[in-house]
Amino acid sequence: MTGKHVGKKLESQEKPLKSYSIYSSCYTCPLSVYIELICDGNWGALVISGNPPEDLIKGTADKLIAEFAQMCNSGLFSQTNNKLREVYLNRAQLIGYSICSRLIALGDVEYAVEYLGKLGLRCQIPKTNEEFVNLGEKISGKIKEKNIRMRKTQRELETLRDSHLGEKPTKQYFTDQLIEISKWMGYRVTPEITLAEYASYLNKMKEYDESLQLKMKKHG
């Protein structure tokens, strides 16, 4: 085989570029998009272009809410991050067990058993039909278990997010906050600012109010 052919083969194996773009950071996401997400439940507002998978959009929304909470010094960040880690861990293990099941079906049993050990399922290379059946049942059981755990953790994550939001804020709530920020800054602040900028404004106003209250207590 010539070098030219090898180059073509490797080129054909390259992963295609992402066919979508999505707001995934408080430093790029406009407040107006966040308002649509929170007030209208419009997950699609995060999509800039293309058609990303629905689970990716929802996962991005959870991370965005957690990042914003961290910027606003909220305890939600650490709690959400822990749940997100659980979701991703269960998802990775679920994919791993599914790959092992496929490898065994293709006859690559030795590698599958080695990989299963890394996933926490210690087993020997099956030699009889009965042993193959037993191993297949163990893997199926693990896949079912990881599916259940992932759905449970996802529900807990959604409950955590909803409990943090409490009564769903309205668009008027955000409008009122922007009016207060505009008065405090001395110029009009619009919903087109990024979430990071919005969090910074809120923190500065909070710090100012706290320092003002402290001074009033000292001289009261």
Side-chain angles (χ1 to χ4, degrees):
M1 181 180 292
T2 66
K4 185 177 180 181
H5 289 153
V6 172
K8 284 187 176 180
K9 183 177 180 181
L10 291 175
E11 183 180 353
S12 67
Q13 290 177 345
E14 288 182 0
K15 292 182 180 179
L17 296 174
K18 284 196 304 183
S19 59
Y20 58 83
S21 180
I22 186 170
Y23 288 117
S24 58
S25 167
C26 289
Y27 292 97
T28 57
C29 181
L31 173 60
S32 58
V33 168
Y34 188 76
I35 291 173
E36 275 195 66
L37 171 67
I38 298 300
C39 298
D40 300 333
N42 181 13
W43 305 98
L46 294 176
V47 179
I48 301 171
S49 63
N51 296 292
E54 184 178 347
D55 60 341
L56 184 142
I57 298 174
K58 289 186 176 181
T60 300
D62 287 327
K63 285 192 281 188
L64 198 64
I65 292 170
E67 184 184 1
F68 179 62
Q70 182 191 31
M71 288 181 171
C72 293
N73 301 315
S74 168
L76 176 70
F77 174 72
S78 59
Q79 297 176 59
T80 303
N81 247 17
N82 289 336
K83 289 299 175 186
L84 282 172
R85 277 197 293 268
E86 286 184 45
V87 170
Y88 295 146
L89 176 61
N90 283 314
R91 183 176 295 160
Q93 291 178 334
L94 176 61
I95 292 171
Y97 283 119
S98 298
I99 289 173
C100 288
S101 180
R102 181 63 178 162
L103 286 172
I104 291 172
L106 293 172
D108 199 349
V109 182
E110 186 175 345
Y111 181 71
V113 169
E114 180 184 346
Y115 194 17
L116 286 169
K118 293 178 181 178
L119 290 170
L121 181 59
R122 304 291 177 184
C123 54
Q124 301 294 323
I125 297 175
K127 296 178 181 177
T128 66
N129 285 338
E130 184 180 356
E131 290 175 346
F132 269 103
V133 170
N134 289 338
L135 180 57
E137 289 177 348
K138 285 181 181 179
I139 295 174
S140 296
K142 285 292 183 181
I143 290 175
K144 183 178 179 181
E145 175 191 329
K146 295 302 174 184
N147 262 317
I148 292 172
R149 285 190 181 181
M150 192 168 67
R151 287 197 295 267
K152 178 176 178 291
T153 308
Q154 187 64 51
R155 286 196 299 270
E156 291 171 348
L157 184 61
E158 291 170 0
T159 300
L160 181 62
R161 182 182 63 235
D162 293 343
S163 66
H164 168 72
L165 293 174
E167 184 179 347
K168 184 184 292 187
T170 63
K171 291 183 178 180
Q172 187 60 47
Y173 166 82
F174 286 102
T175 298
D176 291 342
Q177 281 202 323
L178 286 174
I179 290 173
E180 290 303 315
I181 292 172
S182 297
K183 288 179 181 178
W184 188 70
M185 294 301 298
Y187 54 82
R188 185 168 179 264
V189 179
T190 74
E192 298 315 307
I193 59 173
T194 65
L195 267 180
E197 291 171 320
Y198 180 57
S200 180
Y201 282 133
L202 293 178
N203 288 335
K204 286 178 180 177
M205 285 182 61
K206 182 181 177 183
E207 289 171 6
Y208 177 78
D209 287 341
E210 288 175 350
S211 65
L212 192 61
Q213 289 178 17
L214 189 60
K215 286 180 182 178
M216 289 175 66
K217 284 182 180 179
K218 285 184 177 178
H219 299 286

